[in-house]
Amino acid sequence: MKISVPDEKKTKTVADGIWPTMITPYTEDGRIDYSQVERLIEFYYENGMTGIFAICQSSEMFFLDEKERLELADFILKANKGRMDIVVAGTVDDDLEDQLSFAKKAAELGPDAVVFLRNRLSDDFRGDLSKIIAAMPSDMPLGMYECPYPFKRYLTDDEVKAIADTDRFVFLKDTVCDIAAMRRRAKIVEGSSFKLYNANGATFYDSVLAGYNGYSGIMANFHPDLYAWVYNNINDLRAPIVARMLGVMSLIECRGYPICAKTYLRRFEGFDMTDICRSVSYNGVPALDDELYDVFCLGEYIREEIIKTGTHRKQ
């Protein structure tokens, strides 16, 4: 049974392409560092990003209070100046009514979609979906996120279809990390407004070939230009080679992210960003600096020797 949608107007869509999961920089005393938030937005834009997933797990949304989540979302939207699409999550509460309260406040800020988390919704998924659609402004597109924290809950194929059938959802951050499931999902949503963005670097290339609308993941905080190049040149004979290298490089995600991303941006992209995070405090291995340098050097090799786009090396 198709869930009833009160407004029959066609839902506004969002851009295909690469969507970084935006990290949250902090000052030495633990406050949000808005100067570096603004620098990140420029970095994303300069490197060909078409959208930003804001107030997500990479942003440490579970470790931001409601006031911080709303103020950060508002700042990002204003600093972006309409150049990239921005979707906002932050719906971290256990109770759906509390999630909706926050989501309606987020919607007032004017994002391109407000995103709900599958693991915050109940077993009565269709019932929750109906409540979300009834409560949210009819002109506000919606999104869904298979957030891995505090536990991962995948969407079933039937749930993917239920979402697509609403004609209200335009964004899924997919963390299933299973290309067979992705191929099924791409067929399920075909012809709908529900767009799929893969979070997994290893399956990024194959998911785009399967019909996914892009990538929304951690590694767009390291070398977003390379993900954009593969997406924009998906039929180039070099694309699968670059994509496989990106898949191997994405293993750096396991090294105390988002600390490793902040260290990388400071060392190799000229950010004045601390390593301070609220969700993690240890990178896991003493060799992190060497591993990050290896990732940087591989990225430079791709730029200089394979795709010929020029160096990111600071002079």
Side-chain angles (χ1 to χ4, degrees):
M1 182 179 68
K2 186 170 180 175
I3 294 170
S4 176
V5 180
D7 190 337
E8 295 299 324
K9 293 185 293 184
K10 186 173 177 60
T11 302
K12 177 184 177 294
T13 189
V14 292
D16 295 350
I18 311 302
W19 291 62
T21 51
M22 190 170 192
I23 60 177
T24 302
Y26 300 102
T27 61
E28 291 289 352
D29 59 359
R31 293 176 293 108
I32 296 173
D33 186 344
Y34 283 102
S35 69
Q36 294 305 294
V37 173
E38 187 169 14
R39 175 72 184 90
L40 263 175
I41 293 167
E42 297 307 311
F43 174 71
Y44 296 150
Y45 180 70
E46 291 163 3
N47 282 280
M49 302 298 91
T50 51
I52 297 173
F53 187 14
I55 324 301
C56 59
Q57 176 60 11
S58 287
S59 317
E60 300 182 290
M61 61 182 171
F62 283 91
F63 299 85
L64 302 171
D65 63 32
E66 180 174 298
K67 183 173 182 288
E68 288 176 314
R69 279 178 273 145
L70 290 170
E71 287 181 352
L72 180 56
D74 188 44
F75 181 91
I76 292 167
L77 287 159
K78 289 174 178 174
N80 176 53
K81 300 174 184 176
R83 294 171 293 177
M84 298 169 283
D85 285 351
I86 295 177
V87 301
V88 172
T91 47
V92 298
D93 296 284
D94 293 328
D95 183 76
L96 180 56
E97 291 305 314
D98 291 334
Q99 294 172 43
L100 289 168
S101 174
F102 175 85
K104 286 185 275 191
K105 294 172 187 175
E108 291 175 359
L109 303 176
D112 293 283
V114 175
V115 179
F116 289 83
L117 282 56
R118 178 60 188 98
N119 65 13
R120 301 290 85 192
L121 302 179
S122 73
D123 291 336
D124 182 15
F125 182 74
R126 286 177 176 269
D128 286 352
L129 214 55
S130 295
K131 291 175 183 176
I132 290 169
I133 290 167
M136 293 299 291
S138 61
D139 60 349
M140 174 51 60
L142 305 172
M144 190 65 66
Y145 177 19
E146 291 175 319
C147 182
Y149 181 91
F151 59 90
K152 185 176 280 193
R153 189 169 193 177
Y154 297 120
L155 292 164
T156 66
D157 288 354
D158 285 344
E159 288 171 349
V160 172
K161 187 176 189 307
I163 294 169
D165 284 347
T166 68
D167 297 321
R168 286 291 308 278
F169 284 76
V170 299
F171 181 91
L172 170 66
K173 185 178 184 237
D174 177 312
T175 67
V176 71
C177 303
D178 179 344
I179 191 61
M182 293 178 203
R183 290 183 177 124
R184 292 197 309 272
R185 290 176 172 191
K187 290 185 180 298
I188 289 168
V189 306
E190 191 172 6
S192 76
S193 61
F194 192 32
K195 293 190 173 186
L196 310 178
Y197 300 83
N198 183 8
N200 179 242
T203 53
F204 159 53
Y205 173 79
D206 290 325
S207 68
V208 175
L209 292 182
Y212 269 51
N213 300 92
Y215 171 81
S216 179
I218 287 171
M219 295 309 294
N221 288 296
F222 290 78
H223 30 243
D225 60 310
L226 301 182
Y227 278 83
W229 186 91
V230 171
Y231 183 82
N232 293 328
N233 297 275
I234 199 70
N235 295 315
D236 191 300
L237 293 176
R238 296 168 293 176
I241 298 169
V242 174
R244 299 311 172 205
M245 295 175 74
L246 293 178
V248 173
M249 293 156 73
S250 71
L251 294 173
I252 200 68
E253 294 177 11
C254 300
R255 297 304 197 195
Y257 179 80
I259 290 175
C260 60
K262 295 179 177 184
T263 304
Y264 186 93
L265 290 169
R266 186 177 64 253
R267 285 190 62 195
F268 304 114
E269 294 293 348
F271 279 72
D272 183 20
M273 186 182 296
T274 71
D275 285 340
I276 293 171
C277 295
R278 296 182 183 179
S279 59
V280 292
S281 58
Y282 174 55
N283 67 42
V285 292
L288 178 63
D289 284 347
D290 299 300
E291 293 176 347
L292 290 174
Y293 183 63
D294 291 344
V295 169
F296 175 72
C297 289
L298 281 170
E300 287 294 273
Y301 178 81
I302 293 170
R303 293 182 187 101
E304 295 178 348
E305 302 298 331
I306 301 179
I307 63 176
K308 313 291 186 182
T309 56
T311 182
H312 272 211
R313 195 178 302 276
K314 301 304 176 185
Q315 301 302 319

